[in-house]
Amino acid sequence: MVEWIPVINLMGKQMNNYEKHAREEFRAAGWTDADGEFKDEMQKMICEHVLKLLNEFHGEGHSGSTAPYTINLFTRLAKFEPLGPLTGEDWEWSDVSEYSGKTLYQNKRCGSVFKHGDGTAYNTDGRVFWEWVKDENGKPFKSYYTGNGSQVPVTFPYAVPEKPEYVYRYSDAEPRQPAQNEQGFL
């Protein structure tokens, strides 16, 4: 049986394709019932915000070539990601020394990049470590963590990577995990 998806939204307006698609996906995700009513207030609030963004996007009349470009640009800016390489110029830095107790600057364009008073810079999100861990049922899974070793040196201009480097590292954290290598437990 094919279920009916209304073409009129809850405000009595005809839905555009973005809104229709979003509402179908909200239902598929289990966030709404068959009548389009949300099951959770917080999820409802977030989805309503997304619908406003989609309606604004629809109103701009983007084509097949400008839509992906606009989405990518919006996504990067909404995530506070830089659009191009960091230059390291003075205007890019905020003094955060009062929070660290030593001369330290944070990059305004990429919050994970810092610079010491001597000019050396590093990215705190450069490396993520992982190791194998067993859950309470003995099922193995990868556990990811960061620490001081996660910092990678930065030289300018610096193109911030889209994702960190993932590095296998058997830790000495408690509780100790069985002997292992990158393929799994030995």
Side-chain angles (χ1 to χ4, degrees):
M1 176 177 144
V2 175
E3 299 218 21
W4 177 76
I5 301 290
V7 293
I8 305 297
N9 66 20
L10 300 176
M11 298 180 330
K13 294 183 179 180
Q14 182 155 347
M15 283 191 263
N16 63 58
N17 287 337
Y18 290 109
E19 185 174 354
K20 281 189 266 189
H21 174 69
R23 290 187 183 280
E24 288 171 355
E25 287 301 310
F26 296 162
R27 176 144 185 239
W31 299 339
T32 60
D33 62 20
D35 296 322
E37 295 296 323
F38 284 90
K39 299 175 182 178
D40 177 84
E41 278 302 310
M42 181 60 79
Q43 191 65 57
K44 176 182 178 181
M45 184 180 74
I46 291 169
C47 289
E48 286 175 350
H49 292 166
V50 169
L51 288 171
K52 287 179 185 177
L53 291 169
L54 288 171
N55 282 320
E56 183 68 28
F57 186 72
H58 167 75
E60 295 296 320
H62 287 286
S63 67
S65 63
T66 63
Y69 176 81
T70 303
I71 292 166
N72 182 52
L73 181 60
F74 178 83
T75 300
R76 291 186 67 85
L77 293 172
K79 292 168 58 178
F80 288 92
E81 293 177 350
L83 298 179
L86 306 180
T87 65
E89 295 172 19
D90 289 344
W91 71 268
E92 285 188 354
W93 301 100
S94 292
D95 189 343
V96 294
S97 303
E98 67 181 282
Y99 306 108
S100 68
K102 58 186 174 192
T103 304
L104 187 66
Y105 303 93
Q106 184 175 24
N107 192 278
K108 294 175 187 176
R109 297 179 55 214
C110 180
S112 64
V113 174
F114 291 84
K115 179 176 72 169
H116 292 292
D118 65 4
T120 58
Y122 58 94
N123 184 347
T124 59
D125 291 343
R127 194 175 292 126
V128 173
F129 300 105
W130 66 272
E131 70 175 326
W132 291 103
V133 177
K134 289 185 179 181
D135 67 15
E136 61 275 357
N137 298 318
K139 183 178 176 185
F141 67 95
K142 289 181 179 179
S143 175
Y144 297 88
Y145 59 96
T146 58
N148 285 338
S150 295
Q151 298 175 359
V152 296
V154 167
T155 55
F156 299 100
Y158 177 64
V160 180
E162 288 186 24
K163 58 184 179 180
E165 172 190 11
Y166 288 91
V167 178
Y168 168 78
R169 181 163 81 175
Y170 182 54
S171 80
D172 56 1
E174 294 295 334
R176 295 283 299 162
Q177 296 298 316
Q180 57 183 279
N181 62 26
E182 287 186 58
Q183 286 70 46
F185 291 106
L186 302 178

